[in-house]
Every structure is written in structure tokens, then in C-alpha cells.
Amino acid sequence: MAKLHLDTDIGGELDDLCALAMLVKWPDLELTGVTTVADENGRRAGYAKYVLSIAGREDIPVAAGDDVSLGCFRFKPGYPKEEDYWPEPIERHPGELEETRRLLKKSIEHRPRWAGHRGSRGSPNGT
């Protein structure tokens, strides 16, 4: 069975939402975890958790990545109005960076393939 970790900026456009929905139903694939990038107080992590709950996959861990409030991003991400795309308000899931690091470490130990922002360049360690 193939293993995969998704690193996503879900929430700005529909592409990552579609990718996550596809991955949770992909045959012979284990999604080892989902991390978010350029998160804003756990907004993207909340979106990912919501999609996983709809799919009945609350067992897949989600962790919010670096928050835009850290000031290390050149711009603040924009989001469409939630009420235009989501059937209800989405609970945010901010997290500690240490939690995100633990999830990434655990996924790396499972030797997954990477999808998302790192997907075109291989895994974070260059393999």
C-alpha cells in the first residue's frame, strides 16, 4: 500500500479540496497526515478536518502549519467568503508548531510520498 502525506493551502481555491477528497477515497493509499501552509489561526486546518469528517476519516491527523501572524510571509492569504462555499461555519484548529513537527516526523518515518507544495520537488529531505 502506498503512503502519502498532503501538505496543503486548502481554502483559497478548490484544487486542494478536490485533491484531499480524492486522496481519502483512493484505493490502496494510506494518507499518513495533512499539514497546512500559510495558515491563519487554524483556518486551513479547520477546512481539512471538516472535509475529512465528511468522508468519515477523522482518523487522519491534521496539523496547522506556520501561521501568517508570524510575519514570515510576503502577503496575507485571501479567502473566499465561507458562506459561499461551506454549508456551515467551519471551526478553526490552530496548533502549536511542535505538534506539526511531530506529525511531519511521524509521516516521514512511514516513508510516504509527498503531495502538495513539496510534491513537484520531492520530499522535504530531497528524496
Side-chain angles (χ1 to χ4, degrees), residues 36-42 64-77 94-98 100-101:
T36 60
V37 297
D39 213 316
E40 183 179 27
N41 299 315
D66 286 346
D67 199 287
V68 295
S69 67
L70 295 172
C72 56
F73 296 94
R74 288 189 285 186
F75 62 91
K76 184 176 178 182
E96 298 294 324
L97 287 180
E98 191 54 41
T100 306
R101 289 183 186 115

Side-chain angles (χ1 to χ4, degrees), residues 52-73:
L52 291 171
S53 72
I54 290 171
R57 296 301 310 270
E58 292 92 348
D59 60 308
I60 298 172
V62 176
D66 286 346
D67 199 287
V68 295
S69 67
L70 295 172
C72 56
F73 296 94

Side-chain angles (χ1 to χ4, degrees), residues 80-87:
K81 294 191 301 188
E82 275 190 4
E83 58 271 13
D84 289 347
Y85 292 94
W86 300 96

Side-chain angles (χ1 to χ4, degrees), residues 111-125:
R111 304 190 59 77
R113 296 178 180 177
W114 288 81
H117 292 275
R118 298 177 181 114
S120 63
R121 294 183 296 274
S123 69
N125 62 7

